[in-house]
Amino acid sequence: MLSYLHSFHAGNHADVLKHLTLMAVLQKLNLKSKPYFYLDTHAGAGVYDLNSKEAQLNAEAKTGVLQLTTPKANANFTSANEDVKGLLFQNYIDLVNEYAHLGQYPGSPIVASSLLRNDDKGFAAELHTAVFESLQQHCRRKGVKAQHRDGFEMLNAVLPPTPKRGAVLIDPPYESKNEYQLVVDSLSRATKRWPIGIYMIWYPLLSGTRIDRQTGEVVNNPKAHLAKEMLEQLTQLPVKSVLNIEFCAHAPSDRVGMYGSGMCILNPPWQLENDLAEILEQLTATLVSDNNKLSTIEWLKAE
Ligand SMILES: C[S@@+](CC[C@H](N)C(=O)[O-])C[C@H]1O[C@@H](n2cnc3c(N)ncnc32)[C@H](O)[C@@H]1O
C-alpha cells in the first residue's frame, strides 16, 4: 500500500539539497561527450502544484526553495556566477523560475531532463498509479522515459546498462522501516553488476524524539537511527569511494521531525566535493533557521 505523497513536501529543504546534488553530478557527466545512462528509481509526479491543498498544508516550499528565489538570494547567486562557482545555483534557480511562474516546482525527473542530452538514456520508475500518470504526462518530450514499475526491481533488471557510464538516483519515501534495508540490499546487488556506476541515495535525518499528536507526550522516534545504520552498510559495498553530504536546516528537536537530510554518493565523479561545498555554503546562508553548525561533507570511503 503506497500512502506517501511527495506533493506535501515538494520544494522543501530536502528537495533543494537533493536536486542541487543531482544537477552537480549530471553536470560532471556532461563534461564528456560520450552518452550516459540515468535512472531515477523513485521518480514521483514530475511536477508539483505549490498551490495544491497538499503543498499548502505545511507550506514546506516557503522555508525551502522559495527562500532561494527571493530577489536578495538571486542577487547573491548572480554575483557568485561571475567566477563560475555560482553556475550550478544559477542553473537550478533558472529551472525553478521556469516553473515558479505557474506556481509549480519541478521534481527530480524534470531536473535531470534539464541536463540530459539527446544521446543520453534517461529512465524514471514510479509505482503509485495516479502519481505515475502525472509523471508520464510531464516526461513527454523531456528525454526521460517514465515506467510504471517498482524502482528496486527495475534497477536490478537493467544493470549493467547501455551506455556503460551513468548515474542512479534512489529516493524512497522511507515510510516503512524496511525501506532502509531494501536500499542496502538493492545496492548490494547493483554494485556487483555495475561497480562503476554513480549511485546517489537520499535519506532523511530524523529527530530522536517527537511529540505524539494524540497524547501530546514526547515519545521516541523508532526510525531515527536507521539512516546511520544504512550509511554504515553502504560504506561496506564494493565501490571505490563514498562521499556524503548532510544539510541540517534545523537542530534536532521534539518539534521538528525531519531536521535535515543527506545524499550519499557511491563512486562520486572527480571533484564533486567542491560542488557539494558550494551547495552547503549557499544553503547554510539561506535556509538554516537557527544558526546550527551540524551540516557536513565527509568521505566515508576514500580511494
Ligand atoms: C520521495 S518521493 C520521490 C520524489 C522525487 N524523486 C523528486 O525528487 O521529485 C518517492 C516516490 O516513490 C514512490 N514509490 C514508493 N515505493 C516505490 C517503489 N518500490 N518503486 C517506485 N516508486 C516507488 C512513491 O509513490 C513516491 O512518489
Side-chain angles (χ1 to χ4, degrees):
M1 162 73 178
L2 294 163
S3 54
Y4 177 91
L5 281 179
H6 195 64
S7 38
F8 286 96
H9 310 291
N12 68 2
H13 57 78
D15 263 4
V16 174
L17 173 74
K18 182 199 327 171
H19 295 158
L20 277 164
T21 306
L22 169 61
M23 281 187 114
V25 168
L26 297 188
Q27 281 187 2
K28 292 282 190 207
L29 284 168
N30 285 356
L31 292 175
K32 287 194 185 149
S33 57
K34 266 194 176 174
Y36 58 87
F37 164 87
Y38 172 72
L39 170 63
D40 187 336
T41 60
H42 294 70
V47 172
Y48 299 91
D49 175 5
L50 294 180
N51 296 315
S52 68
K53 335 196 259 313
E54 295 87 2
Q56 289 288 320
L57 184 72
N58 295 318
E60 294 188 24
K62 263 197 185 162
T63 49
V65 68
L66 298 179
Q67 293 294 318
L68 300 180
T69 52
T70 62
K72 186 168 162 251
N74 262 324
N76 274 342
F77 302 137
T78 311
S79 61
N81 196 3
E82 283 161 15
D83 59 4
V84 186
K85 265 169 82 190
L87 264 181
L88 173 64
F89 267 81
Q90 198 55 55
N91 289 344
Y92 175 64
I93 299 296
D94 287 349
L95 177 70
V96 164
N97 278 337
E98 265 178 50
Y99 287 84
H101 293 303
L102 304 164
Q104 296 174 334
Y105 179 74
S108 53
I110 301 299
V111 172
S113 81
S114 73
L115 285 159
L116 292 176
R117 302 151 313 169
N118 284 345
D119 291 339
D120 298 326
K121 303 272 179 255
F123 300 90
E126 170 57 51
L127 200 52
H128 188 294
T129 303
V131 174
F132 170 73
E133 279 164 17
S134 164
L135 174 71
Q136 193 176 35
Q137 187 199 333
H138 291 295
C139 283
R140 263 188 208 124
R141 295 186 295 279
K142 286 283 181 193
V144 174
K145 287 203 174 83
Q147 306 227 344
H148 189 197
R149 193 164 173 184
D150 182 319
F152 291 123
E153 172 273 315
M154 181 167 178
L155 179 63
N156 195 34
V158 298
L159 298 187
T162 312
K164 276 190 191 128
R165 69 186 192 113
V168 175
L169 172 66
I170 303 184
D171 181 24
Y174 297 101
E175 287 267 279
S176 75
K177 278 170 106 179
N178 76 344
E179 269 175 302
Y180 294 83
Q181 193 56 46
L182 272 177
V183 170
V184 174
D185 293 346
S186 161
L187 281 165
S188 172
R189 285 191 296 274
T191 51
K192 279 190 197 106
R193 298 167 80 123
W194 191 39
I196 59 161
I198 300 166
Y199 300 90
M200 298 166 268
I201 303 104
W202 179 87
Y203 59 90
L205 291 169
L206 304 173
S207 300
T209 52
R210 62 177 177 82
I211 298 174
D212 187 285
R213 275 195 207 135
Q214 272 155 13
T215 63
E217 279 173 26
V218 175
V219 293
N220 284 333
N221 182 343
K223 290 196 272 186
H225 63 289
L226 295 176
K228 192 161 181 283
E229 285 175 14
M230 182 177 80
L231 287 181
E232 280 162 8
Q233 295 189 70
L234 292 178
T235 307
Q236 305 305 318
L237 293 174
V239 292
K240 278 193 178 156
S241 54
V242 181
L243 181 62
N244 193 50
I245 178 169
E246 293 192 346
F247 172 65
C248 302
H250 320 272
S253 102
D254 301 344
R255 284 171 298 282
V256 201
M258 185 176 76
Y259 64 92
S261 67
M263 281 284 269
C264 178
I265 302 127
L266 314 185
N267 295 326
W270 194 56
Q271 293 191 332
L272 184 73
E273 67 275 25
N274 297 341
D275 293 325
L276 298 191
E278 171 74 0
I279 291 173
L280 215 52
E281 188 185 322
Q282 299 282 11
L283 296 193
T284 301
T286 41
L287 300 189
V288 170
S289 61
D290 55 8
N291 279 327
N292 82 74
K293 304 263 184 294
L294 298 170
S295 302
T296 53
I297 296 170
E298 198 182 352
W299 284 100
L300 300 181
K301 183 176 186 176
E303 270 188 64

